[in-house]
Amino acid sequence: MKNFCFFRDYKSPGLTKLLKVMKLTVFMVFFSVAGVLANDSYSQTKTLNLNMREATVKEVLNSIEEQSEFYFLFSENLVDVKRKVNVNLENQTIETALNLLFEGTDVQYSNRDRIFVLTTPEVSGDELLVPQQRTISGTVTDKSGKPLQGVTVVVKGTTNGTITNADGEFSLTNIPDDATLQFSFVGMRTQEIQIEGRTTITVEMEEETVGIDEVIVVGYGSQRKSDITGSVASIPDNRLEQVSNTNFAEAIQGSVPGVNIQTTSSGAEGDDINILIRGRNSFIQGRNTPLIVLDGVPYNGNLSELNTTDIASIEVLKDASSAAIYGSRAANGVILITSKKGKQGKIQFNYDGLIGIETFGDYPKPMTPSEFYEFKRIRDESLLTNSEIELYENGGGTDWLDLATRTGSRQHHTLSASGGNKNIDFYISGSLLDVEGIAINDQFQRASVRINLDLDLTDWLTMGTNTQLSRADRDGRPVNFGSAFRANPLTTAYNEDGSLKMDPWPEDVQTSNPLDPLLYKDNYDTYKVFTNNYLNVQLPFVEGLSYRLNTGIEYTNLNRQNYMGRDTKDGFRDQGRLELTDNVSTNYLVENIVKYGREFGKHTLALTGLYSYQSITQDVRRLNARGFPGDELTWYQASSAAVIEPGYSFSDQTTLSNMLRINYNYDDRYLLTLTGRRDGFSGFGENQKWGNFYSGAAGWNAHNEDFLKDFVFDELKLRVSYGLNGNQAIGPYETLTTLNERPYLDGSSTAPGFVPDDIGNPNLRWESTLMGNIAIDYALFKNRLKGTIEYYESKTNDLLLSKTISPVSGDGNNAMTDNIGEIKNSGIEVLISGDIIRKTDFKINMTANFAYNKNEITKLYGNGMDDLANKWFIGEPINVAFDHEFGGVFQIGDDIENSAQPNHEPGFSKIVDQNGDGVIDDEDRTILGNEDPFIFAGLNFSIKYKGISLNIFSQGSFGAIRENDLLAENVSSDIGNNTMAKNWWTPDNPTNEFYANHIFANVPNVDIYQSVDYWRLKDITLSYDIGRHLGDLGIDNLQVYLTGRNLLTITGYEGLDPELRSNRDIPLTISYVFGLNLSF
Amino acid sequence: MKTNKNFKSILFAATLVLFFGCSEDELMEAPPHILAPVSLYKTLDGFEAGMNGIYAEWRRERSGSDYGNPNRYMLDPAVVGTDVVYANQSAGWGNSVASKFYNNTSENGDTRNLWSWLYEIINSCNTLIGASKTDAGQALNEEDINRLVAEARLFRAWAYRHLTYNWGDVPLALEVGTNGTALRDDWTRTPVDEVRRQMEQDLLFAEDNLPETRSRPGSLVKGVATHYLAELYLELDPEKAVTKAEELINNGPYSLITSRYGVEANKPGTPFTDMFLDGNSNKSEGNTEAIWVMQNEPLTLGGDFNLMRRWFRGQSHRIDVDGVSGAIIFTVENGGRGLQRNGPTRYAMELYEEGDDRGSRFAWRDYEILNNPEIIPDGWELGDTVFFDWRGKDEELKNPYWPSTKKWDYADPNDVSGTTNYNDQVYLRLGETYLILAEAQLLTNDKEGAANTINVLRRRANANEISASDVDIDFILDERSRELWSEEHRRYSLRRAGKWFERVSQHNKVGGPTATENRDELLPIPQIVIDVNTVEFPQNPGY
């Protein structure tokens, strides 16, 4: 056998590696390569011109590499490349050139693709006199156990090495016992293994997950990571796998810098999630959300209606350049989701399953019956009713929250098959998710089927589909958690016969039972079809020109029936009440895409042109009816109602777009991306239908420069981008003046009535964000340490502000939307990932990300004035807490009469007199802090030893405060509501923490704010690879794992949870999950 | 064959492009489901629907400022926190406009709602009046369009009446506020006199163009305009007030109820209290005194509701009989469930002399009847009456043992503990016109005439007649309370007489001591009005 030795082990020019990566990458649409691939006899047809005198062999080889795609692997120890030669060739093939070059030497060469390996005959072992030498052999496979051919195996520190054969086998002789073997393969992580006396060895190579040649989706195509000039963050695989995500946003939370994901309320479905990329660019709440694109189609549905186990990758486009292709919807960033594809090879069956329990931790609890009794007695004894006193004296009462909660459960099963041959690739899956939440009757079920196909119909026509069919089931109304938190504990939930009490508090029949919703008859199903279908046509005559028709249809049908019988409060009042909802929404996309990609020597050019049409409609049909003869027929009896109120709401919006993107690459060193997009949107005002957006970006792969080639960097890349994007921010018809329905009577029958409602604005248009981004991507020490550092600044103009207008104008909402205002965001994002230990059997990786965002209003109405009504202040962030400041409690002996609150008494709340004018009024409100956090961080720690791995993920946010409304009384005038026990002021307890338990103690109603900084241990996963012990059962992979989620939160906030919006809501769910992955 | 293949691929792509092209007209919005003012005010039916909307808005005076929620009496400060009405509960708006005036600030959301609601009505009126001048409006029958404009102008004057009495000088908005490109943010406070001149013009137009009677109950008629003109002239020109009031009393289609009638004519009662019974409010039901009746209807779209019983009836569920609670349950007969947010001051109750029907137990409830067969305290029997011991005591907060008016009694037989009323209620009646006349006669130094006018009402109520020497402004205010307690907008009557502070601080034992002179007779301008205005908008004094 021959020993192949070489000297350049990894730092090869991108293209060569790309060719190999393509085999590994699930899908790859970088069309510029297509032309190259088609030409499979490159080495026979490529002609070379060489005219060099007194040049070294190395220089000649370099020259050949420069004018061709050939690439040479050799070792300077074996091949004398310093030998001076004279070459003069014209239009000769590589074979001729090499024969000439090595004429008279023992250098031999072999080639695969465009890679030439230069070797010399076997070196005699006698030359190296090392004791205790042996022969070692082994097999190299990929992660799924398939043999890998062509893996380079080198004895570390020597020139001794070989390449694996077609069965992945290798054999090396004359190896010292203490030697270390290096295994390397393009696109795979290099491994070092100590022999420790073994004679056979099995090595499993792993894909380089964040390698610089990874191919990632960038919108309307994909690109090599090394070619990207914008700010594109990929979600790490470990956030998508082996984590019990109900929706994909949970996978993103904390894993990439600059994306702030906040779960605003808990529960079985848990899709009440805010996504904010690089800060708030818009004043309008809910219009700061990024555009979500699933398989090339803007996704219009619920986060939780998409099966998470079908997702192959998630990319987040953060800067102006990367997002600019989505023009008027790009300013808040774009999230690209790609579903899994099949790959050629044998059919692979996969089962992913998990089961778990859902529970909850400690949460602030309202007072017990006896505490409440004491509270009420002190506050106003006369309001204690007989039933309350009786319950108290008998030691009765109710812990409403205890009645409202349970231990929930979760299960998620996905079975998939994938594979393919020359003409077809497929991925087909079926999945079932079932979550029983911790609030009684709170449940979510999702069943889905996915069919992804790619078909090569002819050599010029390919087509495919990415389709999900799903059903989400949200039957049943959960208990009313808000009222369970507030419910009077001196009441009873059940009658003696075990049925629910309609009036838990006999003396106050207005109080309803928080468990009342359990009696509602409720059916709530959503059916969804989301399908992307496309055709690719290779056009003739112009090499590299292709046309793609991309279409998308999303059809959602939400069906809801609810009936409240006479056993419920509202049902009793209305003599039965029913609500029927039928909500059909459609999302329809057609895109014509023309692509052109060509290489001209060192120049690579790629053009993408787009003409697209998208239409989204929604029809909501409602029927509310009340007054029924009986409850038996539930929601089927609308026709016999005394009052029937039908309703119909409708919306229709259209976006038309043109886009052109130019990518230019010189020698893999200099990169340029230019993008222009023109969008028309029906929701904009009559005079402002079209907007133009553009961006430019440049990148420099410094590590490909000769002068840095042998330096420590595996990657060193500088990226700069600048551009203008838009935010549609308004919905359909918001520019129109509308009327509100106000029916009246004609005698005793209905007479239609309308009054003016919102005042319209025909000049409304998109918000525009100008963003600059500068970034460095780095990888050091053979990619052991890598990451990204970015700085950005953005300025948003023409902000759509719901401007408060004088009530004198008579607008129903005292508000009108207008393009005014300006916001600045700037920030830093840091990603750093380190392989602390990187051995075959033992790995430790730590990945951290950090983001800081500064948000600042720079202009409001153009007159330099702040907007007190909306609490917007120039120079401050958008969401500030602007309020009176709680200044403690008036104490006995304080000079209250001469204070700013002369009518107060000891024990009453004190407000800080900010301007010191001796009067407490609106002038004393001040900015107490920011309500949006401005620092976000995530930390992932993973450790893998043989088949065991442990992953610990934590995340947090800092810098925000929020009113803790649990620190207020809100007990209503008859003290019918429960509240939290507090450190009330009394003459014997002269605290400043909380005022007295007295009806007038906080009449001016000063709120107490607290920091909502937190650090959360989001999940811990412990997994074990059983598959490694199963040998030849035909099982490719079998892995079991345990995950705990939301196990620990460190915060000073005393409300329900720093992340959740309400303090009287379902507590944060803690889940413990057991999962299994099996593939065969 | 290669050419063939090329041809195929090109043809294929071209077909697709052509097939999926589309037009830019797609971007123009033509919502098929939204009514814009331009599309509503095209036909008579459209104008009528616009008018109905204004009626529905007017009704919110008694249904609450949160639309569809009976928790805020929209015009509370016009009624409570006066010499004769105090807030019995220390909750809600009453805390700042009745119990503790020093808590009243410009940030109060209820005050802002009241202001916004009145200007919404003005904008609705202006929109209809503006539409009447368009081609579509001019194409309508002249009588119809004039009547519609008359109704709109009357409502506009009605809204300015509330604005001026509550806040003094207010912006006079007469143009349509629906053009978003030309919104005003530079409002100024128009002097009250100028606003009243506009009200006069609006009411005169309404008087000229409204029919005297209309078949649809609750519709605006000429008499409403005349009544409000009479009241307005008390401020502008008392001579004219006399004329207008006399015109309505003598020539209008109304007459005082002086004998028993209607649903309970055969049961014990008085002519005065018959007017307030469910089923006795409308003219078609025999009520000859009512000029304007507010319409509600249970279980009917557009029926809405009102919260008057909730606000004024006593809290029977808080009554203990010998320490036993629950002996009184809600029934249709005892008027339903009340919260008595607003109650009569001791002064108001002591205004009634013995024998005055208006102060009788048919008008006031200072007792409850034991009606719960399940709970009968020892020594009592079902049907026994518990009388409250209130005489000689001052009003105080949260006292359930206090008299409450029966004017707003109503309970839905299907839901006796329900929060809302669905009965039609008298909103404006000739009795008040008499009192306006008396006030006008006093202002024109015709004390004799004033005494005679008042005696008409007193005779109807079986109260002793008075003589000219008895008549002064305080007496008229007292008489208004006796006749119109909880019906009249008391704050306005006091302000017109310049007596708000004096009488509130003397007679209201709960809120009176907290009132500040030259401040609390007016409400604070809502802060939002000041904050969004680009030119200075002065706050009322003291706030």
Side-chain angles (χ1 to χ4, degrees), chain A residues 380 386 459-460 510 540 573 643 650 682 689 733 739 742 746 750 752-754 759-760 807 810 814 922 973 1003, chain B residues 5-6 20 27 29 33 35 49 52 57 91 103 106-107 116 119 123 177 180 216 299 301 325 337 398 415 417:
Chain A
D380 188 341
N386 287 9
D459 58 355
W460 55 269
Q510 291 312 302
R573 186 175 299 145
V643 183
F650 172 80
S682 61
K689 291 291 184 197
Y733 319 127
L739 294 173
R742 284 280 185 270
D746 183 359
T750 306
F754 296 91
I759 293 181
N814 295 334
D922 299 327
S973 55
V1003 164
Chain B
K5 188 177 88 183
N6 291 342
F20 290 104
L27 298 182
E29 288 191 314
H33 64 299
L35 272 178
N52 285 335
E57 283 289 324
N103 283 338
S106 60
E107 290 283 344
S116 300
Y119 274 105
N123 184 40
R216 185 162 116 176
L299 287 176
L301 190 63
S325 69
R337 177 176 189 269
K398 291 189 282 184
D415 181 15
S417 62

